[in-house]
């Protein structure tokens, strides 16, 4: 089954991950909080491998008095919660630190969007039911962010997640996903596009549109591979496997399991969707911790 927590194509190989593909020619995603510096590149390289704590640590000096750095640090720690189910208090502390700073409406809206997503993650992962808090925070973000804000597509996407997985309203979810998708494509936001492709494809699959689902899952995987977003590739492989013939689906799941273990079994919620054992010749050695 496809996982709602979160599509290169079906001819990818199981040996692709021997090197560090995060240094390819494709630029790392420049968030609205980033400026394309060497620091941003280092943060992205760590984030993409699931080293959120290390990435956040690089931002500590700037985060003391720069709201954008503080916002990015909070975003990293919130993302860690969604992928690992751990680190909730550190994410809360980072959000409180941002919220205590003098912020403009754009920054306050971005902070509210992160708070809403953290509450959504806690609800989705059954840590604690914070659905009301998530709705309220995302509503605040919608009121604060200008219609043409760089943060608006991410907010639309997250409101779609709430609609689908908390409120049980796939029609409203598709509206949010579609709005976020179109704007992410217009802005060249490849990382967000990889999420919107994947979630629109999952809705298409539920509606029986196999061709549309296959296209969306493949696009999501292609974007994540091009970006070197390693922690997002195993979920994309598993999603694509759902719409492939049995032999190809099994190969994709084995590849996903190999990468998942290479990255320390992150994201944690993907484990039930992976083959329980890898053939010995495919079992990877875990990456050494960066600290």
């Amino acid at each position: 089954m496809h996982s709602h927590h979160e599509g290169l194509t079906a001819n990818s190989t199981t040996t692709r991950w021997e090197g560090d593909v995060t240094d390819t020619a494709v630029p790392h995603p420049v968030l609205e909080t980033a400026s394309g510096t060497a620091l941003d590149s280092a943060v992205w390289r760590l984030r993409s491998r699931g080293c959120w704590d290390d990435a956040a640590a690089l931002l500590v000096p700037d985060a003391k008095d720069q709201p954008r750095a503080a916002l990015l640090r909070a975003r990293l720690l919130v993302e860690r919660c969604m992928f690992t189910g751990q680190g909730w208090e550190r994410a809360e502390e980072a959000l409180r630190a941002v919220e205590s700073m003098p912020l403009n409406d754009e920054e306050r809206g971005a902070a509210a969007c992160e708070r809403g997503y953290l509450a959504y993650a806690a609800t989705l992962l059954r840590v604690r039911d914070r659905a009301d808090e998530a709705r309220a925070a995302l509503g605040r973000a919608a009121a604060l962010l200008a219609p043409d804000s760089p943060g608006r597509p991410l907010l639309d996407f997250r409101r779609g997640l709430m609609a689908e997985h908390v409120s049980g309203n796939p029609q409203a979810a598709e509206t949010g996903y579609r709005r976020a998708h179109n704007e992410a494509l217009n802005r060249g936001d490849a990382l967000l596009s990889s999420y919107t492709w994947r979630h629109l494809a999952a809705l298409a699959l539920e509606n029986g549109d196999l061709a549309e689902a296959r296209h969306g899952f493949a696009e999501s995987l292609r974007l994540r591979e091009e970006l070197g977003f390693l922690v997002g590739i195993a979920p994309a492989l598993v999603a694509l496997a759902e719409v492939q013939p049995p032999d190809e689906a099994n190969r994709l799941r084995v590849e996903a399991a190999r990468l998942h273990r290479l990255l320390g079994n992150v994201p944690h919620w993907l484990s039930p969707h992976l083959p329980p054992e890898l053939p010995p010749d495919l079992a990877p050695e875990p990456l050494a911790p960066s600290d």
Side-chain angles (χ1 to χ4, degrees):
M1 76 183 259
H2 71 266
S3 173
H4 52 233
H5 300 282
E6 206 320 334
L8 237 108
T9 55
N11 63 358
S12 47
T13 70
T14 55
T15 59
R16 162 184 334 121
W17 309 117
E18 300 306 332
D20 182 356
V21 300
T22 56
D23 287 319
T24 59
V26 179
H28 67 86
V30 179
L31 304 174
E32 64 269 24
T33 48
S35 55
T37 64
L39 175 62
D40 296 319
S41 296
V43 167
W44 167 249
R45 199 153 45 242
L46 289 165
R47 175 192 181 190
S48 68
R49 296 170 71 91
C51 302
W52 294 279
D53 281 341
D54 292 344
L58 292 181
L59 293 163
V60 166
D62 288 346
K64 286 182 171 60
D65 57 6
Q66 296 178 26
R68 290 187 172 196
L71 277 165
L72 179 53
R73 181 171 175 270
R75 176 174 295 181
L76 292 168
L77 294 173
V78 170
E79 186 172 85
R80 178 192 178 215
C81 292
M82 176 59 91
F83 274 80
T84 70
Q86 299 173 347
W88 303 95
E89 189 51 43
R90 287 202 66 202
E92 289 282 353
E93 289 169 1
L95 279 170
R96 285 196 294 270
V98 175
E99 291 161 348
S100 70
M101 301 173 86
L103 305 176
N104 60 31
D105 281 354
E106 180 75 17
E107 292 159 348
R108 287 169 61 212
C113 187
E114 291 307 317
R115 180 161 289 289
Y117 189 57
L118 183 65
Y120 164 77
T123 304
L124 188 72
L125 299 180
R126 300 182 179 178
V127 175
R128 186 153 60 90
D129 185 348
R130 297 172 60 179
D132 289 344
E133 180 188 351
R135 285 190 193 93
L138 294 176
R140 280 200 309 281
L144 287 162
L145 294 177
D148 60 349
S149 161
R152 178 66 68 166
L154 181 63
L155 174 62
D156 287 335
F157 173 69
R158 289 174 170 177
R159 294 181 92 182
L161 292 173
M162 279 292 296
E164 182 176 8
H165 300 302
V166 178
S167 304
N169 187 340
Q171 291 78 23
E174 182 168 10
T175 299
Y177 296 156
R178 187 79 55 194
R179 189 182 297 125
H181 183 69
N182 292 338
E183 196 56 39
L185 291 177
N186 288 341
R187 293 174 183 267
D189 186 337
L191 184 60
L192 181 55
S193 299
S194 80
Y195 278 96
T196 56
W197 271 121
R198 182 253 174 287
H199 284 269
L200 286 168
L203 288 178
L205 182 59
E206 289 177 6
N207 291 330
D209 190 342
L210 199 62
E212 184 66 24
R214 187 178 291 118
H215 175 66
F217 288 142
E219 281 297 295
S220 177
L221 178 57
R222 179 185 66 80
L223 287 167
R224 290 179 177 196
E225 290 194 329
E226 287 182 358
L227 287 168
F229 187 49
L230 295 185
V231 291
I233 289 174
L237 288 164
V238 169
L240 185 59
E242 295 177 59
V243 291
Q244 298 295 334
D247 286 352
E248 177 63 11
N250 182 63
R251 196 190 61 72
L252 290 170
R253 289 189 184 101
V254 167
E255 183 178 358
R258 182 173 179 274
L259 180 58
H260 188 249
R261 291 173 201 190
L262 189 70
L263 293 171
N265 299 317
V266 173
H268 289 186
W269 44 257
L270 191 65
S271 298
H273 305 282
L274 295 170
E277 293 295 335
L278 285 179
D281 60 325
L282 290 179
E285 290 293 323
L287 291 176
S290 53
D291 54 3

